[in-house]
Short mmCIF file of all heavy atoms in Angstrom, two decimals:
data_model
loop_
_atom_site.label_atom_id
_atom_site.label_comp_id
_atom_site.label_asym_id
_atom_site.label_seq_id
_atom_site.Cartn_x
_atom_site.Cartn_y
_atom_site.Cartn_z
N ALA W 23 -29.24 -14.92 12.94
CA ALA W 23 -29.58 -15.36 14.30
C ALA W 23 -30.65 -14.43 14.89
O ALA W 23 -31.60 -14.90 15.53
CB ALA W 23 -28.33 -15.36 15.18
N ALA W 24 -30.51 -13.13 14.65
CA ALA W 24 -31.49 -12.17 15.19
C ALA W 24 -32.85 -12.37 14.54
O ALA W 24 -33.89 -12.19 15.18
CB ALA W 24 -30.99 -10.75 14.96
N ILE W 25 -32.86 -12.78 13.28
CA ILE W 25 -34.13 -13.08 12.61
C ILE W 25 -34.72 -14.35 13.21
O ILE W 25 -35.90 -14.41 13.55
CB ILE W 25 -33.92 -13.25 11.08
CG1 ILE W 25 -33.56 -11.90 10.44
CG2 ILE W 25 -35.18 -13.83 10.42
CD1 ILE W 25 -33.18 -11.99 8.96
N ALA W 26 -33.83 -15.35 13.40
CA ALA W 26 -34.29 -16.64 13.93
C ALA W 26 -34.91 -16.48 15.31
O ALA W 26 -35.96 -17.06 15.61
CB ALA W 26 -33.12 -17.61 13.98
N ASP W 27 -34.31 -15.65 16.15
CA ASP W 27 -34.84 -15.53 17.52
C ASP W 27 -35.88 -14.42 17.63
O ASP W 27 -36.28 -14.03 18.72
CB ASP W 27 -33.71 -15.35 18.53
CG ASP W 27 -32.97 -14.02 18.37
OD1 ASP W 27 -33.54 -13.08 17.75
OD2 ASP W 27 -31.84 -13.92 18.83
N GLY W 28 -36.27 -13.85 16.48
CA GLY W 28 -37.38 -12.90 16.50
C GLY W 28 -37.00 -11.46 16.82
O GLY W 28 -37.85 -10.58 16.84
N HIS W 29 -35.72 -11.19 17.07
CA HIS W 29 -35.33 -9.80 17.33
C HIS W 29 -35.48 -8.92 16.09
O HIS W 29 -35.74 -7.73 16.20
CB HIS W 29 -33.89 -9.72 17.85
CG HIS W 29 -33.76 -10.06 19.29
ND1 HIS W 29 -33.77 -11.36 19.77
CD2 HIS W 29 -33.67 -9.27 20.39
CE1 HIS W 29 -33.65 -11.35 21.07
NE2 HIS W 29 -33.61 -10.09 21.49
N ILE W 30 -35.28 -9.51 14.93
CA ILE W 30 -35.45 -8.77 13.68
C ILE W 30 -36.56 -9.44 12.88
O ILE W 30 -36.58 -10.66 12.71
CB ILE W 30 -34.16 -8.77 12.84
CG1 ILE W 30 -33.04 -7.99 13.54
CG2 ILE W 30 -34.43 -8.19 11.45
CD1 ILE W 30 -31.73 -7.97 12.78
N ASP W 31 -37.52 -8.62 12.42
CA ASP W 31 -38.53 -9.12 11.50
C ASP W 31 -38.15 -8.64 10.11
O ASP W 31 -38.25 -7.45 9.81
CB ASP W 31 -39.92 -8.58 11.87
CG ASP W 31 -40.99 -9.00 10.86
OD1 ASP W 31 -40.63 -9.64 9.84
OD2 ASP W 31 -42.16 -8.66 11.08
N PRO W 32 -37.66 -9.54 9.24
CA PRO W 32 -37.16 -9.11 7.93
C PRO W 32 -38.16 -8.27 7.15
O PRO W 32 -37.76 -7.38 6.39
CB PRO W 32 -36.84 -10.43 7.21
CG PRO W 32 -37.45 -11.51 8.02
CD PRO W 32 -37.60 -10.99 9.41
N LYS W 33 -39.46 -8.49 7.38
CA LYS W 33 -40.47 -7.72 6.63
C LYS W 33 -40.33 -6.22 6.86
O LYS W 33 -40.68 -5.41 6.03
CB LYS W 33 -41.87 -8.16 7.05
CG LYS W 33 -42.22 -9.59 6.63
CD LYS W 33 -43.72 -9.80 6.60
CE LYS W 33 -44.08 -11.10 5.85
NZ LYS W 33 -42.90 -11.67 5.13
N GLY W 34 -39.81 -5.83 8.05
CA GLY W 34 -39.74 -4.41 8.37
C GLY W 34 -38.39 -3.77 8.06
O GLY W 34 -38.23 -2.56 8.22
N VAL W 35 -37.43 -4.56 7.63
CA VAL W 35 -36.09 -4.01 7.38
C VAL W 35 -36.11 -3.13 6.14
O VAL W 35 -36.56 -3.55 5.07
CB VAL W 35 -35.06 -5.14 7.20
CG1 VAL W 35 -33.71 -4.56 6.81
CG2 VAL W 35 -34.95 -5.96 8.49
#
Side-chain angles (χ1 to χ4, degrees):
Chain W
I25 291 174
D27 67 19
H29 281 78
I30 294 179
D31 175 356
K33 292 201 166 349
V35 175

